[in-house]
């Protein structure tokens, strides 16, 4: 079954089609929207800034993926990160070129797009994925 969502971003409508199992949120008439828990193992987690940075520093040869747009990346990014916009058409193709045995650190601006990227990485066979809770904006805060 295919579900379709419309995502409004920077005055543009982007349309994504994906399998029903990929939906990150569920709507319950009594409780409203709730996130599905994709961070369901010790090696696929959303981490607070301090833990994320410490884990990144202790990990040998990780991928650090900035999944924001190129414009956002150009305004500032984590040193050594690769720009790989999850909104772009080539995200899946770029991910397929990566070694699934390596650890991945992923972040977006506010941690709204990164769960989608985490889900895609998990589906493509990555087993160690760490998402920055609160996104890049938490790194700019003192």
């Amino acid at each position: 079954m295919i579900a379709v969502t419309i995502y409004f971003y920077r005055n543009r409508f982007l349309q994504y089609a994906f399998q029903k199992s990929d939906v990150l949120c569920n709507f319950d008439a009594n409780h409203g929207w709730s996130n599905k828990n994709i961070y369901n193992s010790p090696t696929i987690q959303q981490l607070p800034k301090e833990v994320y940075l410490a884990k990144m520093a202790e990990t040998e040869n990780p991928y650090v993926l900035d999944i924001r747009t190129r414009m956002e990346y150009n305004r500032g990014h984590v040193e050594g990160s690769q720009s790989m916009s999850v909104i772009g058409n080539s995200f899946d193709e770029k991910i397929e070129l990566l070694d699934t045995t390596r650890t991945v650190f992923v972040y977006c601006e506010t941690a709204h797009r990164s769960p989608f990227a985490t889900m895609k990485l998990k589906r493509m066979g990555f087993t160690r994925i760490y998402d920055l809770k609160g996104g890049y904006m938490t790194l700019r805060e003192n």
Side-chain angles (χ1 to χ4, degrees):
M1 177 175 205
I2 300 294
V4 177
T5 186
I6 303 296
Y7 186 84
F8 187 72
Y9 183 77
R10 299 220 183 251
N11 300 324
R12 296 187 338 202
F13 281 102
L14 302 172
Q15 187 172 358
Y16 293 102
F18 46 89
Q19 294 179 1
K20 187 176 180 183
S21 62
D22 293 345
V23 178
L24 295 177
C25 296
N26 290 324
F27 185 78
D28 179 305
N30 297 320
H31 301 99
W33 291 99
S34 64
N35 289 325
K36 281 189 173 182
N37 188 5
I38 60 172
Y39 306 103
N40 57 2
S41 84
T43 59
I44 300 178
Q45 297 180 347
Q46 192 171 49
L47 303 173
K49 172 176 65 174
E50 295 79 12
V51 177
Y52 181 90
L53 293 173
K55 192 165 227 21
M56 190 186 315
E58 71 186 27
T59 302
E60 187 176 325
N61 201 23
Y63 290 120
V64 181
L65 304 181
D66 183 323
I67 59 145
R68 301 173 301 158
T69 65
R70 176 57 82 170
M71 187 177 359
E72 289 172 301
Y73 180 84
N74 289 340
R75 285 193 302 241
H77 55 270
V78 172
E79 187 176 334
S81 64
Q82 299 176 48
S83 176
M84 214 175 273
S85 176
V86 74
I87 294 174
N89 294 333
S90 63
F91 182 75
D92 288 351
E93 294 165 6
K94 290 178 180 178
I95 295 300
E96 287 175 357
L97 300 175
L98 301 179
D99 178 0
T100 58
T101 64
R102 287 174 54 185
T103 301
V104 180
F105 290 86
V106 63
Y107 67 91
C108 65
E109 186 67 21
T110 59
H112 287 93
R113 291 170 276 180
S114 54
F116 183 71
T118 299
M119 176 197 56
K120 285 183 152 270
L121 289 161
K122 182 178 177 181
R123 192 172 358 109
M124 293 176 122
F126 289 85
T127 57
R128 291 185 316 274
I129 309 164
Y130 301 100
D131 181 9
L132 177 59
K133 187 175 187 174
Y136 186 74
M137 67 181 250
T138 64
L139 297 178
R140 289 193 305 256
E141 298 171 352
N142 292 329

